[in-house]
Amino acid sequence: MKNKRVIRVVAIALVVLLAGGVVVGALVSALAEESTGVGNLPRDRYELSMEYMADEQALHVTQRLVFVNPSEKPLNAVVFYAAGNMFRRESALMYDNDDLEAVFFAGYAPAGIDLRSVHFNGERADYGFQGEGEMYLRVDCDLPAGETGAFEFDYYLLLMTCGAFQGVGDTDVRLSAFYFAPGPYDAQYGEFDMKRPLAHSRWLDTASADFDVALTLPEGYIPAGTGEISEDGDVWRVRAEGVRELALSFGKRWRVYERETASGVKVRLLANVRGSADRALDLTVDAVERCEAWFGGFPVNRLDIVQSDYPLGALSFPGAIWLSSDLLSGKNAEELACRLRFGVAQQYFGLSAWVEPSADAWLSDSVCEYVSCLLQEAAEGRDAFLRTINRDWVPALQQTVPGGLRVTSDAALFDGRTYDLVVKQRGAVVFHELREAMGLEGLLAGLRNFYELGQTKDTLTEMDLVACMDAADGGSWEAFLTDWVFNVGDYADQYIDWFE
């Protein structure tokens, strides 16, 4: 016990020192923005004209991006994500061996980006693909600090028959990370900090932007996803403002089921399975209304729940939750409820109140895992809540995790199974212990503070979470959170008969 106390004290001291560095860094950054005006830049603007060619299994895209130089120095190049090129080579795929057969159920066949031309401010630009699998695109430019420049791309996105984040299946065509998006610029090192794609967590890191999309689809297809979607003759228009990522899918075998919450949020289910349509809509409406009572108005006006041939589970984007056909068939009612509640929580924490998706993944996924269980508790009672956490969390607590990975470790260091075990399940235990210490109302008030801060701050950090919890009840929660974040693994040494 003495050694454990020493470890915990050292951990707390390190976090306090690191927190000081974060605070100092934030102050320096704020002063720099105030002196240069860079902190008040307008959002990037995307214009996309897209046509899906079903016979070729390809999407023709012309993209115009009005990009704002976020640095205090001129840029001679911008680096963009080109995640579609992951499918060019089997060696570049981000999926574990155990998942390859499930994702590529029709076998592997090369796909990727066929880039025809790149322009900057109306002139042809030099460019080149970079990184393993050519998943990033560098485009030369001459862009002064704080100024805007227009990048134009003409390309074909060749899609595989697969269950990946881009692809074609029996029920849908799914598109995420499909357009050229600039990565975050690291002023300290003078370079773009590009994240590698992950299978088990969100990873795309780019600035908030506005989107205007014209999508031409073959007859009978229905689109779903991020933003306001309307039909304009033979073209579908998609508009979204202030979002970090645009995700779309479309299918021709869907039925559309609709509900509306008491506050007017529209919930749509697009699926071709009948078994659980009513249950899925009821669960989602209930989760939205409870979250609105806890955290404030829902971040989007419409939420689409979309049946997708994505075999590894749910993916959430602004205004959209992708679910597998198996889940929507009603074969696993508990899992469906969990995924829907988690997806609703993500609309608040991680998609609206933004955290760095890889380095600080726990600030989204640990929170959302716990909120999803709170939603179950509110809907089904305390006994159901305790049964769930004893079934799911206790086994995670009792396992030894190799490599010293903690709840706060970068998501890129995990495989999918270990990420769920450590970040989602053990991370949820951290918030459960916080709830037991400060009370449910205090925890919910702290999370509401965290969400509201995310509406005014570009990127939330761990110290923001601490400050929001402190403000909820006037306490000081940094040492408590630090202790549990660093040492929740100590439960592996203890016998747990029933966890409450």
Side-chain angles (χ1 to χ4, degrees):
M1 289 296 292
K2 183 178 180 181
N3 288 339
K4 288 183 181 179
R5 289 195 188 99
V6 171
I7 291 171
R8 294 184 181 195
V9 169
V10 170
I12 292 169
L14 284 172
V15 170
V16 170
L17 289 172
L18 288 172
V22 170
V23 172
V24 171
L27 288 173
V28 171
S29 176
L31 290 173
E33 290 181 355
E34 185 176 351
S35 63
T36 62
V38 172
N40 299 313
L41 295 176
R43 289 195 292 253
D44 295 344
R45 301 192 308 278
Y46 291 85
E47 295 175 8
L48 298 167
S49 178
M50 313 194 313
E51 181 180 5
Y52 179 59
M53 298 171 291
D55 291 341
E56 292 82 2
Q57 208 164 280
L59 192 76
H60 182 208
V61 183
T62 57
Q63 172 184 331
R64 185 175 188 269
L65 167 64
V66 179
F67 173 75
V68 184
N69 179 356
S71 76
E72 300 167 27
K73 298 179 181 179
L75 289 176
N76 58 17
V78 174
V79 182
F80 298 83
Y81 289 103
N85 274 344
M86 182 189 77
F87 302 100
R88 284 188 176 277
R89 301 175 183 85
E90 193 168 4
S91 61
L93 296 173
M94 65 186 183
Y95 297 96
D96 297 332
N97 289 334
D98 293 343
D99 295 326
L100 285 174
E101 187 175 346
V103 177
F104 302 101
F105 50 81
Y108 172 77
I113 300 169
D114 179 7
L115 182 56
R116 298 302 181 90
S117 68
V118 180
H119 290 77
F120 175 70
N121 284 344
E123 302 289 334
R124 282 193 173 272
D126 292 331
Y127 62 89
F129 287 104
Q130 299 178 334
E132 182 183 0
E134 299 184 339
M135 285 186 283
Y136 314 110
L137 178 71
R138 176 188 171 95
V139 179
D140 291 345
C141 63
D142 181 12
L143 190 55
E147 296 296 321
T148 61
F151 292 89
E152 296 174 283
F153 307 89
D154 187 332
Y155 57 101
Y156 288 84
L157 183 64
L158 310 179
L159 299 166
M160 289 178 60
T161 299
C162 68
F165 64 94
Q166 294 174 8
V168 178
D170 291 335
T171 58
D172 74 325
V173 177
R174 74 200 67 81
L175 302 170
S176 70
F178 67 94
Y179 50 90
F180 291 107
Y185 184 77
D186 189 329
Q188 181 179 357
Y189 295 100
E191 61 185 26
F192 286 84
D193 182 16
M194 311 303 290
K195 305 294 189 294
R196 70 178 179 87
L198 301 174
H200 54 269
S201 177
R202 291 172 46 248
W203 55 270
L204 187 65
D205 189 7
T206 189
S208 178
D210 298 337
F211 292 83
D212 190 344
V213 180
L215 174 61
T216 301
L217 298 175
E219 186 176 356
Y221 279 84
I222 303 171
T226 303
E228 298 297 326
I229 301 175
S230 59
E231 196 170 4
D232 185 7
D234 296 331
V235 177
W236 293 90
R237 303 301 301 239
V238 182
R239 293 183 174 87
E241 295 184 356
V243 297
R244 301 277 189 157
E245 182 173 4
L246 179 81
L248 296 171
S249 54
F250 42 88
K252 59 180 179 180
R253 298 183 180 181
W254 290 333
R255 288 185 174 88
V256 181
Y257 307 86
E258 294 183 297
R259 295 277 176 85
E260 190 168 306
T261 70
S263 64
V265 177
K266 295 180 180 178
V267 179
R268 296 198 309 169
L269 172 66
L270 297 94
N272 62 15
V273 292
R274 300 181 181 180
S276 58
D278 287 339
R279 174 169 168 76
L281 287 170
D282 289 344
L283 282 164
T284 307
V285 168
D286 178 74
V288 169
E289 291 180 343
R290 292 185 193 276
C291 280
E292 286 193 307
W294 292 343
F295 311 125
F298 201 60
V300 294
N301 296 323
R302 192 199 73 251
L303 179 62
D304 284 343
I305 307 158
V306 186
Q307 178 186 350
S308 177
D309 296 304
Y310 189 93
L312 296 184
L315 283 179
S316 300
F317 308 94
I321 302 172
W322 291 352
L323 294 176
S324 70
S325 303
D326 283 347
L327 276 178
L328 285 169
S329 68
K331 296 176 182 177
N332 191 331
E334 275 193 80
E335 182 67 9
L336 173 63
C338 178
R339 296 295 180 88
L340 286 170
R341 289 164 176 155
F342 185 88
V344 167
Q346 273 197 309
Q347 298 300 315
Y348 285 89
F349 304 104
L351 295 174
S352 180
W354 180 261
V355 301
E356 191 174 54
S358 182
D360 281 334
W362 79 283
L363 290 176
S364 170
D365 284 0
S366 296
V367 172
C368 293
E369 182 76 6
Y370 193 63
V371 169
S372 70
C373 286
L374 290 180
L375 288 168
Q376 180 192 24
E377 182 179 16
E380 301 173 23
R382 178 75 172 177
D383 288 345
F385 168 80
L386 291 176
R387 285 195 299 270
T388 295
I389 68 174
N390 277 274
R391 181 195 65 206
D392 296 342
W393 300 351
V394 169
L397 290 173
Q398 302 276 255
Q399 296 185 46
T400 300
V401 179
L405 293 170
R406 295 192 176 94
V407 172
T408 56
S409 296
D410 193 306
L413 300 175
F414 295 88
D415 61 25
R417 177 186 172 279
T418 310
Y419 181 82
D420 285 350
L421 184 152
V422 177
V423 178
K424 288 187 176 179
Q425 294 165 352
R426 289 188 176 182
V429 171
V430 171
F431 283 95
H432 186 62
E433 296 291 353
L434 185 62
R435 176 244 185 109
E436 292 300 299
M438 68 188 305
L440 178 58
E441 293 305 317
L443 175 66
L444 291 176
L447 290 177
R448 182 174 185 131
N449 291 342
F450 194 55
Y451 169 65
E452 290 176 347
L453 180 61
Q455 306 314 293
T456 60
K457 188 177 181 188
D458 184 65
T459 304
L460 295 171
T461 68
E462 294 177 1
M463 294 312 298
D464 289 324
L465 177 66
V466 171
C468 289
M469 291 299 164
D470 289 352
D473 71 350
S476 179
W477 292 102
E478 181 182 354
F480 183 93
L481 268 171
T482 302
D483 191 15
W484 279 106
V485 161
F486 276 83
N487 298 289
V488 69
D490 286 354
Y491 270 122
D493 301 327
Q494 302 176 24
Y495 172 75
I496 302 176
D497 179 58
W498 185 253
F499 186 77
E500 294 191 10

